[in-house]
Amino acid sequence: MIIVTEAMCEKIISRSDAFKSVESVFSAMARGDAWNFPVVREAIGYADALYGFKSGFDRAGLSLGVKSGGYWPGNMKKGLTNHQSTIFLFDPDTGQLKALVGGNYLTAIRTAASSSVSIAHLARKDSSVLGMVGAGHQSTFQLQAALEQRAFKKVVAWDIHMDNVSRLRDIAEKNEVEFQAVDREQLGEQADVIITITSAHEPLLMKEWIKPGTHIACMGTDTKGKQELDPELVASASVFTDEIAQSISIGEAQHAVAAGLITAADITAIGDVINAVHQGRSSDKEITLFDGTGVGLQDIAVASVAATLAEERGLAEKVEL
Ligand code: NAD
């Protein structure tokens, strides 16, 4: 088996590799060629940590694996990121361990690829203003990837801690795009595409603030109880997701479903749009919403590419178990 370190992943996996592998696995999921296994996530009763597994099998891409890790809130003080994960890849023909791949950078780049795939398939082609709600660790990856999907002329951003938005300003400036720190209502007024990537547990964007024709990629809500949007906004939008079962249980749609405003039948897998089974956006006035909950197959897909590239380039360390 091989070991692919975090540093190697940063060197060899491009945003375009991540985009292609995430788009392809969403397509395989919608065709029924790839599936995620039930997620395990538990408080371990030590160090305030949440620990779990996300796993799946892609029969089309022949990738089998598990991402193991979680959230250690005290890590920042130790100079480490709070989210920690490692991806294990197995040979689907024999069950033998094929690769151990660092999962921290890959989590960020696959999550950014997920919202980017939604923008590529659902946002209006003439979208020119990008709104960012949340300016934490994931947000810079989200912003850089999104800027590559449309000819954005301006970025507007808000975070509950406004000091944080300077990291988004830096990325916008690097990309020669105008930047403005705004309040949430101004953000809704201006933005054609909005990415939410916070750890909020209450609605941050209200229905009446959002323009017709906006595309929202809601990426922060990945656990029961988290929330970023007004359920009325979710109910008024055409809702797409990576995986419907997760969208209604741990994703943003959980709240609109619990309020009886929508059901699972109102939600479309983004893979159906990629596969041209669903038309996606139907008009320039429609609000589209992508509920990006994060599935194990995304991690396995990008880790498989990282393992293949690391091996091809002779970078990976080979170890006998
Ligand atoms: P982070 O802690 O670095 O940043 C969180 C941001 O949210 C900060 O800027 C913070 O100021 C803001 N925030 C916190 N509470 C808020 C509130 N009540 N209202 C408004 N803003 C608030 O975290 P991160 O690593 O950037 O992750 C952000 C979120 O994305 C987390 O909820 C994480 O679990 C989620 N996430 C989702 C996926 C996915 O696949 N969908 C993948 C990775 C992370």
Side-chain angles (χ1 to χ4, degrees), residues 41 54 67 71 76 82-83 107-108 110-112 114 133-140 142 158-162 164-165 167 184 196-204 218-223 226-228 242 246 291-295 298-299:
R41 196 165 163 88
K54 281 186 167 184
K67 175 163 97 166
Y71 186 73
M76 204 80 99
N82 290 350
H83 290 273
T107 297
R110 68 78 149 146
T111 306
S114 176
V133 176
H137 176 70
Q138 301 291 333
S139 68
T140 54
Q142 291 284 326
W158 175 87
D159 189 276
I160 199 165
H161 304 113
M162 273 317 249
N164 286 349
V165 303
R167 52 166 73 110
R184 286 174 284 162
T196 61
I197 184 77
T198 74
S199 40
H201 285 69
E202 69 273 331
L204 301 175
C218 183
M219 306 304 296
T221 303
D222 58 356
T223 307
K226 283 191 187 168
Q227 185 174 14
E228 298 183 296
D242 41 22
Q246 283 204 169
D291 189 2
T293 65
V295 293
Q298 284 170 256
D299 300 294

Side-chain angles (χ1 to χ4, degrees), residues 88-100:
F88 300 70
L89 297 176
F90 299 93
D91 182 336
D93 289 309
T94 64
Q96 284 186 302
L97 183 59
K98 267 185 20 180
L100 269 185

Side-chain angles (χ1 to χ4, degrees), residues 43-290:
I44 61 171
Y46 181 77
D48 278 336
L50 287 176
Y51 170 70
F53 309 100
K54 281 186 167 184
S55 65
F57 177 47
D58 178 357
R59 192 173 48 191
L62 285 185
S63 333
L64 175 69
V66 57
K67 175 163 97 166
S68 176
Y71 186 73
W72 273 258
N75 273 5
M76 204 80 99
K77 286 192 211 115
K78 300 175 186 163
L80 300 168
T81 40
N82 290 350
H83 290 273
Q84 290 292 326
S85 63
T86 309
I87 300 155
F88 300 70
L89 297 176
F90 299 93
D91 182 336
D93 289 309
T94 64
Q96 284 186 302
L97 183 59
K98 267 185 20 180
L100 269 185
V101 186
N104 296 349
Y105 174 73
L106 292 186
T107 297
I109 201 149
R110 68 78 149 146
T111 306
S114 176
S115 60
S116 277
V117 166
S118 85
I119 294 167
H121 288 277
L122 295 169
R124 289 187 347 260
K125 293 274 184 280
D126 65 349
S127 299
S128 65
V129 180
L130 173 61
M132 295 293 304
V133 176
H137 176 70
Q138 301 291 333
S139 68
T140 54
F141 296 91
Q142 291 284 326
L143 175 55
Q144 183 57 57
L147 285 173
E148 289 157 12
Q149 301 310 317
R150 291 289 183 268
F152 291 111
K153 295 190 176 69
K154 184 174 180 185
V155 172
V156 288
W158 175 87
D159 189 276
I160 199 165
H161 304 113
M162 273 317 249
D163 289 352
N164 286 349
V165 303
S166 62
R167 52 166 73 110
L168 299 177
R169 180 188 297 275
D170 292 346
I171 304 242
E173 283 174 0
K174 201 176 85 194
N175 287 273
E176 297 177 356
V177 174
E178 186 189 345
F179 180 88
Q180 190 185 3
V182 290
D183 66 32
R184 286 174 284 162
E185 288 182 63
Q186 288 172 326
L187 189 142
E189 248 166 51
Q190 295 193 46
D192 302 305
V193 172
I194 300 174
I195 297 175
T196 61
I197 184 77
T198 74
S199 40
H201 285 69
E202 69 273 331
L204 301 175
L205 292 179
M206 306 313 288
K207 181 182 166 211
E208 55 274 19
W209 301 344
I210 304 302
K211 292 190 300 191
T214 303
H215 173 66
I216 307 171
C218 183
M219 306 304 296
T221 303
D222 58 356
T223 307
K224 204 164 178 53
K226 283 191 187 168
Q227 185 174 14
E228 298 183 296
L229 305 179
D230 175 4
E232 296 284 353
L233 170 59
V234 176
S236 70
S238 296
V239 183
F240 300 83
T241 188
D242 41 22
E243 190 179 83
I244 295 169
Q246 283 204 169
S247 172
I248 62 171
S249 54
I250 60 168
E252 190 62 37
Q254 63 180 291
H255 305 287
V257 169
L261 298 171
I262 63 167
T263 69
D266 298 312
I267 306 175
T268 304
I270 185 99
D272 280 342
V273 182
I274 297 165
N275 296 337
V277 170
H278 187 286
Q279 66 171 341
R281 167 176 293 281
S282 63
S283 83
D284 281 354
K285 297 268 174 273
E286 185 179 24
I287 294 175
T288 52
L289 166 66
F290 176 65

